[in-house]
Amino acid sequence: MSDLHIRPAALADVPAVLAFWQVAAEGTSISDDEAGVARLIARDPQALLLAERDGTLVGSVIAGFDGWRCHLYRLAVHPEARRQGVARSLLDAAEQRFAALGGRRGDAMVLERNERAQHAWQAAGYAREEQWRRWTKPLAAG
């Protein structure tokens, strides 16, 4: 993928990232707004990784590390760029980031209904852990 460029997002990228997720990502998140993405970039400027080809956004992943765990969110590839190694390149970059920070294991949240994503994560070497369930509680009205 010599024509693929992976880089951290900047604040100026926020509108393009949100528009990209509308096309390429499955589902929405409570933080899918300008304030949420800007807060992520301000807190950890290296966490939101973007994949570009010829200056066009074709993929994203959030590689968040809290000092204890390595969390992966929002792995998304533009429909026209799928099955071209974009996701693998993004995950390689995320895993390199985690290793440099001392992370020991990456985990990903994957929607149950998103079979395509489940196959992609499995192909990248990730395995489902049946003993875990995600528990959530909204902290803000929205």
Side-chain angles (χ1 to χ4, degrees):
M1 281 280 121
S2 61
D3 64 337
L4 193 67
H5 175 66
I6 309 286
R7 67 171 178 85
L11 287 174
D13 294 312
V14 172
V17 168
L18 290 168
F20 172 76
W21 286 344
Q22 290 294 314
V23 172
E26 180 76 21
T28 57
S29 167
I30 194 169
S31 300
D32 282 1
D33 56 34
E34 288 200 22
V37 179
R39 196 169 27 258
L40 168 67
I41 293 169
R43 184 184 181 286
D44 186 349
Q46 303 297 308
L48 176 52
L49 300 174
L50 304 180
E52 296 176 324
R53 183 174 287 138
D54 297 322
T56 300
L57 181 57
V58 294
S60 72
V61 70
I62 298 172
F65 182 63
D66 60 14
W68 183 259
R69 301 207 192 261
C70 305
H71 302 288
L72 294 155
Y73 310 91
R74 285 310 213 191
L75 177 62
V77 176
H78 192 280
E80 294 177 9
R82 291 182 181 153
R83 304 198 55 77
Q84 297 174 23
V86 175
R88 181 70 258 169
S89 295
L90 283 163
L91 290 176
D92 287 347
E95 292 165 5
Q96 289 170 14
R97 169 180 157 72
F98 292 150
L101 293 170
R104 298 180 180 184
R105 178 182 65 185
D107 67 61
M109 294 191 324
V110 183
L111 291 171
E112 284 289 326
R113 70 178 185 264
N114 192 342
E115 290 185 29
R116 180 184 305 127
Q118 291 178 39
H119 292 295
W121 284 103
Q122 187 174 25
Y126 289 78
R128 180 187 194 115
E129 290 188 336
E130 293 295 334
Q131 71 273 24
W132 297 102
R133 291 294 176 259
R134 181 176 176 214
W135 292 51
T136 67
K137 176 183 177 182
L139 300 177

